[in-house]
């Protein structure tokens, strides 16, 4: 893995976002309400990948509990890639894993990547063109590049995480849409 150049724009943006991350995370409920509306318009999405929030990310736990009709899968870091596992109750079936992030217990059934209909993706920042700035290890870009072409890729963030440009590179995967508190805040045109 290449060492990031500290003067490249992505590295500067990451550093700025980490430095200016609010001490108290905003209320996730408003973003989750937007996701509820987004899901209501897409009943065909049966298997959806979620994520366990870390500081500065939207907590999806309560929203997921409101949608038991969907199959929710969570990522587990295995080496340098992600595997997904079905989770019915994130408050009971997730354990501390790599980087201190809550992950599915290894005893939970793995779900094939090609069966996942939509991916709710975290990130440090998103831009209006669907660009996503991750934390720099490439887990999501590698996984999304191997996912089914028809799978929907949705960035999930707070309004302050939407920036004019995330400085996408050829290996970065664009989001189909970005869901935040505001209607269409980061939708690709």
């Amino acid at each position: 893995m290449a060492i990031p150049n500290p003067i490249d724009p992505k590295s500067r943006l990451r550093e700025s976002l980490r430095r200016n991350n609010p001490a108290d995370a905003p209320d996730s409920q408003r973003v989750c309400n937007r996701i509820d509306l987004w899901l209501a318009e897409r009943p065909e999405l049966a298997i959806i990948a979620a994520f366990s929030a870390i500081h500065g990310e939207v907590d999806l736990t309560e929203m997921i509990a409101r949608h038991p009709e969907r199959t929710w899968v969570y990522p587990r870091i295995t080496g340098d890639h992600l595997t997904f596992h079905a989770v019915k109750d994130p408050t009971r079936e997730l354990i501390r894993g790599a980087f201190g992030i809550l992950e599915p217990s290894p005893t939970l059934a793995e779900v094939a990547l090609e069966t996942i209909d939509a991916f709710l993706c975290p990130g440090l920042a998103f831009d209006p063109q669907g660009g996503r700035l991750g934390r720099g290890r490439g887990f999501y870009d590698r996984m999304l590049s191997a996912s089914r072409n028809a799978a929907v890729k949705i960035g999930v963030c707070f309004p302050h995480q939407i920036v004019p440009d995330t400085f996408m590179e050829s290996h970065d995967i664009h989001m189909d849409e970005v869901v935040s508190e505001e209607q269409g805040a980061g939708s690709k045109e």
Side-chain angles (χ1 to χ4, degrees), residues 137-160:
R137 295 202 168 239
F139 286 108
Y140 269 82
D141 288 318
R142 283 191 299 278
M143 177 274 299
L144 292 171
S145 70
S147 70
R148 205 171 81 232
N149 284 340
V152 183
K153 298 158 189 74
I154 304 301
V156 176
C157 67
F158 296 109
H160 73 269

Side-chain angles (χ1 to χ4, degrees), residues 51-52 59-66 72 74 86-96 102-105 108:
F51 59 88
S52 297
D59 185 348
L60 304 173
T61 308
E62 290 181 23
M63 185 272 307
I64 287 168
R66 294 193 297 264
W72 294 96
Y74 279 75
V87 172
K88 291 187 189 310
D89 184 353
T91 64
R92 293 194 175 144
E93 297 174 311
L94 301 177
I95 59 174
R96 288 267 171 233
L102 291 175
E103 299 181 336
S105 164
L108 295 174

Side-chain angles (χ1 to χ4, degrees), residues 39-65:
L39 287 170
E41 296 171 357
R42 293 158 182 86
E44 72 282 3
L45 301 177
I47 302 175
I48 303 173
F51 59 88
S52 297
I54 59 175
H55 179 72
E57 294 177 347
V58 176
D59 185 348
L60 304 173
T61 308
E62 290 181 23
M63 185 272 307
I64 287 168

Side-chain angles (χ1 to χ4, degrees), residues 26-49:
D27 182 14
S28 294
Q29 192 56 50
R30 291 174 62 172
V31 179
C32 288
N33 290 343
R34 296 285 317 128
I35 298 170
D36 283 334
L37 295 171
W38 185 88
L39 287 170
E41 296 171 357
R42 293 158 182 86
E44 72 282 3
L45 301 177
I47 302 175
I48 303 173

